Amino acid sequence: TPKGTCLESVKIAIDTGYRHIDGAFVYFNEHEVGQAIREKIAEGRIKREDIFYCGKLWNTCHPPELVRPTLEKTLKILQLDYVDLYIIELPMAFKPGDVIYPRDENGKFIYHETDLCATWEAMEACKDAGLAKSIGVSNFNRRQLEMILNKPGLKHKPVSNQVECHPYFTQPKLLEFCRQHDIVIVGYSPLGTSRDETWVNVSSPPLLKDTVLNAIGKKYNKTAAQIALRFNIQRGVVVIPKSFNPQRIRENFQIFDFSLTEKEMKEIEALNKNVRYVELLM
Protein backbone atom coordinates (compact mmCIF):
# COMPACT_ATOMS: atom_id res chain seq x y z
CA THR A 1 0.00 0.00 0.00
CA PRO A 2 1.19 3.56 -0.60
CA LYS A 3 2.86 5.12 2.45
CA GLY A 4 0.32 6.20 5.04
CA THR A 5 -2.72 4.50 3.47
CA CYS A 6 -2.68 1.63 5.93
CA LEU A 7 -2.12 3.98 8.89
CA GLU A 8 -5.18 6.09 8.00
CA SER A 9 -7.35 3.07 7.23
CA VAL A 10 -6.60 1.41 10.59
CA LYS A 11 -7.35 4.66 12.44
CA ILE A 12 -10.70 5.02 10.62
CA ALA A 13 -11.47 1.37 11.36
CA ILE A 14 -10.74 1.78 15.08
CA ASP A 15 -12.89 4.94 15.22
CA THR A 16 -15.69 3.02 13.44
CA GLY A 17 -15.57 0.27 16.08
CA TYR A 18 -13.36 -2.43 14.58
CA ARG A 19 -11.22 -4.21 17.18
CA HIS A 20 -9.88 -7.27 15.33
CA ILE A 21 -6.98 -6.38 13.04
CA ASP A 22 -5.56 -9.08 10.80
CA GLY A 23 -1.94 -8.45 9.90
CA ALA A 24 1.17 -10.23 8.70
CA PHE A 25 4.88 -9.63 8.35
CA VAL A 26 4.61 -10.16 4.57
CA TYR A 27 2.06 -7.35 4.19
CA PHE A 28 4.99 -4.98 4.88
CA ASN A 29 2.76 -2.53 6.72
CA GLU A 30 2.90 -3.71 10.34
CA HIS A 31 4.83 -0.54 11.26
CA GLU A 32 1.80 1.54 10.18
CA VAL A 33 -0.68 -0.77 11.92
CA GLY A 34 1.32 -0.54 15.15
CA GLN A 35 1.52 3.24 14.85
CA ALA A 36 -2.26 3.53 14.32
CA ILE A 37 -2.96 1.38 17.39
CA ARG A 38 -0.50 3.35 19.52
CA GLU A 39 -1.91 6.70 18.37
CA LYS A 40 -5.46 5.62 19.23
CA ILE A 41 -4.30 4.42 22.66
CA ALA A 42 -2.56 7.79 23.23
CA GLU A 43 -5.78 9.60 22.26
CA GLY A 44 -7.64 7.59 24.88
CA ARG A 45 -9.97 6.05 22.26
CA ILE A 46 -8.93 2.49 23.19
CA LYS A 47 -6.77 0.49 25.55
CA ARG A 48 -4.30 -2.10 24.25
CA GLU A 49 -6.51 -4.91 25.59
CA ASP A 50 -9.42 -3.68 23.44
CA ILE A 51 -7.49 -4.59 20.28
CA PHE A 52 -7.22 -8.14 18.95
CA TYR A 53 -4.16 -8.25 16.69
CA CYS A 54 -3.33 -11.30 14.58
CA GLY A 55 0.22 -11.77 13.28
CA LYS A 56 1.50 -14.54 11.01
CA LEU A 57 4.54 -16.80 10.73
CA TRP A 58 5.75 -16.72 7.13
CA ASN A 59 6.82 -19.77 5.07
CA THR A 60 10.56 -19.04 5.33
CA CYS A 61 10.42 -19.19 9.14
CA HIS A 62 9.08 -22.70 9.86
CA PRO A 63 12.25 -24.20 11.44
CA PRO A 64 11.51 -24.23 15.21
CA GLU A 65 14.55 -22.10 16.09
CA LEU A 66 13.25 -19.29 13.83
CA VAL A 67 9.72 -19.09 15.24
CA ARG A 68 10.29 -17.00 18.35
CA PRO A 69 12.84 -14.60 16.76
CA THR A 70 10.36 -14.04 13.90
CA LEU A 71 7.54 -13.20 16.31
CA GLU A 72 9.88 -10.93 18.29
CA LYS A 73 10.71 -9.11 15.05
CA THR A 74 6.98 -8.57 14.40
CA LEU A 75 6.52 -7.22 17.95
CA LYS A 76 9.46 -4.87 17.45
CA ILE A 77 7.96 -3.56 14.18
CA LEU A 78 4.53 -3.13 15.82
CA GLN A 79 6.13 -1.73 19.00
CA LEU A 80 3.75 -3.88 21.03
CA ASP A 81 4.49 -6.35 23.86
CA TYR A 82 2.36 -9.21 22.54
CA VAL A 83 0.03 -10.26 19.74
CA ASP A 84 -3.40 -11.62 20.57
CA LEU A 85 -3.13 -14.36 17.98
CA TYR A 86 -0.13 -15.76 16.11
CA ILE A 87 -0.75 -18.18 13.27
CA ILE A 88 1.23 -20.36 10.87
CA GLU A 89 0.32 -18.67 7.57
CA LEU A 90 0.63 -21.74 5.31
CA PRO A 91 1.23 -25.44 5.98
CA MET A 92 4.22 -25.60 3.62
CA ALA A 93 7.65 -24.04 3.98
CA PHE A 94 10.02 -22.12 1.74
CA LYS A 95 13.79 -22.17 2.02
CA PRO A 96 14.74 -20.16 5.14
CA GLY A 97 16.54 -16.87 4.57
CA ASP A 98 15.92 -13.20 3.88
CA VAL A 99 14.25 -13.77 0.50
CA ILE A 100 10.49 -13.81 1.08
CA TYR A 101 9.72 -15.76 -2.12
CA PRO A 102 12.89 -17.81 -2.81
CA ARG A 103 13.10 -19.09 -6.40
CA ASP A 104 15.67 -21.06 -8.35
CA GLU A 105 17.24 -20.01 -11.69
CA ASN A 106 14.13 -21.34 -13.52
CA GLY A 107 11.82 -19.19 -11.42
CA LYS A 108 10.46 -22.17 -9.46
CA PHE A 109 9.82 -21.80 -5.73
CA ILE A 110 12.45 -23.32 -3.46
CA TYR A 111 10.65 -25.35 -0.82
CA HIS A 112 11.99 -26.59 2.49
CA GLU A 113 11.16 -29.85 4.21
CA THR A 114 9.68 -29.06 7.56
CA ASP A 115 7.92 -30.77 10.46
CA LEU A 116 4.69 -28.92 11.22
CA CYS A 117 4.53 -30.53 14.67
CA ALA A 118 7.96 -29.17 15.57
CA THR A 119 6.94 -25.73 14.27
CA TRP A 120 3.80 -26.00 16.39
CA GLU A 121 5.83 -26.78 19.53
CA ALA A 122 7.81 -23.58 18.93
CA MET A 123 4.48 -21.72 18.59
CA GLU A 124 3.36 -23.21 21.94
CA ALA A 125 6.57 -21.90 23.52
CA CYS A 126 5.72 -18.39 22.25
CA LYS A 127 2.32 -18.60 23.94
CA ASP A 128 3.89 -19.89 27.17
CA ALA A 129 6.34 -16.95 27.07
CA GLY A 130 3.42 -14.49 26.83
CA LEU A 131 4.42 -13.21 23.38
CA ALA A 132 1.14 -14.47 21.88
CA LYS A 133 -2.10 -14.81 23.84
CA SER A 134 -3.38 -17.49 21.45
CA ILE A 135 -1.97 -19.54 18.58
CA GLY A 136 -3.58 -20.91 15.45
CA VAL A 137 -3.10 -21.80 11.81
CA SER A 138 -4.11 -20.67 8.33
CA ASN A 139 -4.85 -22.50 5.07
CA PHE A 140 -4.73 -25.88 6.85
CA ASN A 141 -6.92 -28.73 5.64
CA ARG A 142 -8.44 -31.39 7.87
CA ARG A 143 -5.47 -33.76 7.55
CA GLN A 144 -2.99 -31.04 8.56
CA LEU A 145 -5.18 -30.00 11.49
CA GLU A 146 -5.42 -33.63 12.66
CA MET A 147 -1.63 -33.91 12.55
CA ILE A 148 -1.43 -31.12 15.17
CA LEU A 149 -4.47 -32.21 17.18
CA ASN A 150 -3.12 -35.79 17.47
CA LYS A 151 0.44 -34.71 18.24
CA PRO A 152 1.81 -36.52 21.32
CA GLY A 153 2.25 -34.07 24.19
CA LEU A 154 0.08 -31.34 22.63
CA LYS A 155 -0.02 -28.39 25.05
CA HIS A 156 -2.19 -25.87 23.20
CA LYS A 157 -4.44 -26.72 20.30
CA PRO A 158 -4.99 -24.28 17.45
CA VAL A 159 -7.79 -21.85 18.41
CA SER A 160 -8.45 -20.85 14.81
CA ASN A 161 -7.91 -21.74 11.16
CA GLN A 162 -7.90 -18.82 8.71
CA VAL A 163 -9.13 -19.88 5.26
CA GLU A 164 -10.89 -18.41 2.25
CA CYS A 165 -14.62 -18.40 3.01
CA HIS A 166 -17.56 -16.64 1.30
CA PRO A 167 -20.93 -17.55 -0.32
CA TYR A 168 -19.19 -19.08 -3.37
CA PHE A 169 -16.82 -21.09 -1.15
CA THR A 170 -18.69 -21.94 2.05
CA GLN A 171 -16.30 -24.62 3.38
CA PRO A 172 -19.10 -26.77 4.91
CA LYS A 173 -16.96 -29.85 5.69
CA LEU A 174 -14.03 -27.92 7.15
CA LEU A 175 -16.42 -25.71 9.14
CA GLU A 176 -18.10 -28.78 10.64
CA PHE A 177 -14.77 -30.44 11.48
CA CYS A 178 -13.48 -27.26 13.14
CA ARG A 179 -16.71 -26.83 15.11
CA GLN A 180 -16.29 -30.33 16.54
CA HIS A 181 -12.82 -29.38 17.77
CA ASP A 182 -13.64 -25.85 19.01
CA ILE A 183 -11.50 -24.31 16.28
CA VAL A 184 -12.86 -20.98 15.00
CA ILE A 185 -12.88 -20.47 11.23
CA VAL A 186 -11.65 -17.00 10.28
CA GLY A 187 -12.77 -16.27 6.72
CA TYR A 188 -10.49 -14.23 4.49
CA SER A 189 -11.75 -12.79 1.19
CA PRO A 190 -15.29 -12.81 2.68
CA LEU A 191 -16.38 -10.46 -0.14
CA GLY A 192 -14.65 -12.43 -2.86
CA THR A 193 -11.52 -10.48 -3.72
CA SER A 194 -9.85 -7.92 -5.94
CA ARG A 195 -9.44 -8.77 -9.64
CA ASP A 196 -5.66 -8.83 -9.53
CA GLU A 197 -4.68 -11.63 -11.89
CA THR A 198 -1.19 -11.97 -10.42
CA TRP A 199 -2.75 -13.87 -7.49
CA VAL A 200 -6.48 -14.17 -8.15
CA ASN A 201 -8.50 -16.52 -10.35
CA VAL A 202 -10.24 -13.83 -12.42
CA SER A 203 -12.19 -16.36 -14.48
CA SER A 204 -14.56 -16.72 -11.50
CA PRO A 205 -17.62 -14.45 -11.40
CA PRO A 206 -17.36 -11.44 -9.04
CA LEU A 207 -19.22 -12.36 -5.84
CA LEU A 208 -20.69 -8.91 -5.23
CA LYS A 209 -22.53 -8.94 -8.57
CA ASP A 210 -24.50 -12.01 -7.46
CA THR A 211 -28.25 -11.54 -8.05
CA VAL A 212 -29.33 -13.43 -4.90
CA LEU A 213 -27.08 -11.36 -2.61
CA ASN A 214 -28.28 -8.15 -4.26
CA ALA A 215 -31.96 -9.13 -4.06
CA ILE A 216 -31.68 -9.95 -0.34
CA GLY A 217 -29.73 -6.71 0.12
CA LYS A 218 -32.57 -4.71 -1.42
CA LYS A 219 -35.01 -6.14 1.13
CA TYR A 220 -32.88 -4.94 4.08
CA ASN A 221 -31.57 -1.79 2.38
CA LYS A 222 -28.06 -3.27 2.52
CA THR A 223 -25.33 -3.90 -0.06
CA ALA A 224 -24.41 -7.34 -1.42
CA ALA A 225 -21.17 -7.00 0.60
CA GLN A 226 -23.09 -6.47 3.84
CA ILE A 227 -25.25 -9.52 3.09
CA ALA A 228 -22.16 -11.68 2.39
CA LEU A 229 -20.55 -10.59 5.68
CA ARG A 230 -23.75 -11.08 7.69
CA PHE A 231 -24.15 -14.58 6.22
CA ASN A 232 -20.77 -15.72 7.51
CA ILE A 233 -21.14 -14.06 10.90
CA GLN A 234 -24.51 -15.77 11.41
CA ARG A 235 -22.91 -19.17 10.80
CA GLY A 236 -20.13 -18.53 13.31
CA VAL A 237 -17.39 -17.59 10.85
CA VAL A 238 -15.18 -14.61 11.78
CA VAL A 239 -14.83 -12.23 8.82
CA ILE A 240 -11.86 -10.02 7.97
CA PRO A 241 -12.92 -7.82 5.03
CA LYS A 242 -10.12 -5.68 3.60
CA SER A 243 -10.73 -2.11 2.51
CA PHE A 244 -8.89 1.20 2.25
CA ASN A 245 -12.04 3.10 1.32
CA PRO A 246 -13.38 5.01 4.39
CA GLN A 247 -17.00 4.67 3.28
CA ARG A 248 -16.69 0.92 2.71
CA ILE A 249 -14.79 0.44 5.97
CA ARG A 250 -17.82 1.95 7.73
CA GLU A 251 -20.33 0.03 5.57
CA ASN A 252 -18.65 -3.31 6.30
CA PHE A 253 -19.22 -2.64 9.99
CA GLN A 254 -22.94 -1.92 9.63
CA ILE A 255 -24.11 -5.52 9.75
CA PHE A 256 -25.27 -5.83 13.34
CA ASP A 257 -28.67 -4.14 12.98
CA PHE A 258 -30.42 -6.93 11.05
CA SER A 259 -30.58 -10.73 10.78
CA LEU A 260 -31.04 -13.01 7.80
CA THR A 261 -33.90 -15.51 7.99
CA GLU A 262 -33.27 -19.26 7.91
CA LYS A 263 -34.67 -19.34 4.36
CA GLU A 264 -32.25 -16.59 3.25
CA MET A 265 -29.31 -18.37 4.91
CA LYS A 266 -30.22 -21.53 2.95
CA GLU A 267 -30.53 -19.55 -0.30
CA ILE A 268 -27.06 -18.09 0.21
CA GLU A 269 -25.61 -21.48 1.20
CA ALA A 270 -26.96 -22.84 -2.09
CA LEU A 271 -24.75 -20.35 -3.98
CA ASN A 272 -21.67 -22.41 -3.07
CA LYS A 273 -19.66 -23.19 -6.23
CA ASN A 274 -16.51 -24.42 -4.45
CA VAL A 275 -14.76 -21.50 -6.14
CA ARG A 276 -11.43 -20.39 -4.74
CA TYR A 277 -10.46 -16.88 -5.73
CA VAL A 278 -7.11 -17.13 -3.98
CA GLU A 279 -5.68 -20.29 -5.49
CA LEU A 280 -2.30 -20.15 -3.70
CA LEU A 281 -0.58 -21.61 -6.77
CA MET A 282 2.72 -21.78 -4.90
Side-chain angles (χ1 to χ4, degrees), residues 248-259:
R248 290 205 199 107
I249 289 173
R250 293 182 190 108
E251 260 179 23
N252 290 343
F253 198 75
Q254 290 158 1
I255 55 171
F256 302 106
D257 54 355
F258 76 106
S259 284

Side-chain angles (χ1 to χ4, degrees), residues 21-31 33 53-58 74 78 86-87 89:
I21 299 169
D22 181 74
F25 171 70
V26 289
Y27 299 165
F28 302 116
N29 55 15
E30 284 190 309
H31 56 294
V33 177
Y53 185 81
C54 171
K56 303 188 183 85
L57 180 78
W58 181 239
T74 277
L78 289 163
Y86 198 54
I87 63 180
E89 190 157 354

Side-chain angles (χ1 to χ4, degrees), residues 221-274:
N221 200 19
K222 295 286 179 187
T223 63
Q226 288 167 318
I227 299 301
L229 294 176
R230 181 71 210 179
F231 163 72
N232 255 337
I233 277 186
Q234 260 181 242
R235 59 205 283 266
V237 172
V238 173
V239 288
I240 44 172
K242 177 183 110 178
S243 181
F244 296 106
N245 175 318
Q247 187 198 337
R248 290 205 199 107
I249 289 173
R250 293 182 190 108
E251 260 179 23
N252 290 343
F253 198 75
Q254 290 158 1
I255 55 171
F256 302 106
D257 54 355
F258 76 106
S259 284
L260 298 166
T261 65
E262 210 169 310
K263 180 173 174 282
E264 288 160 346
M265 288 293 288
K266 289 213 159 40
E267 278 173 28
I268 299 171
E269 265 169 28
L271 297 176
N272 184 37
K273 306 177 187 329
N274 282 324

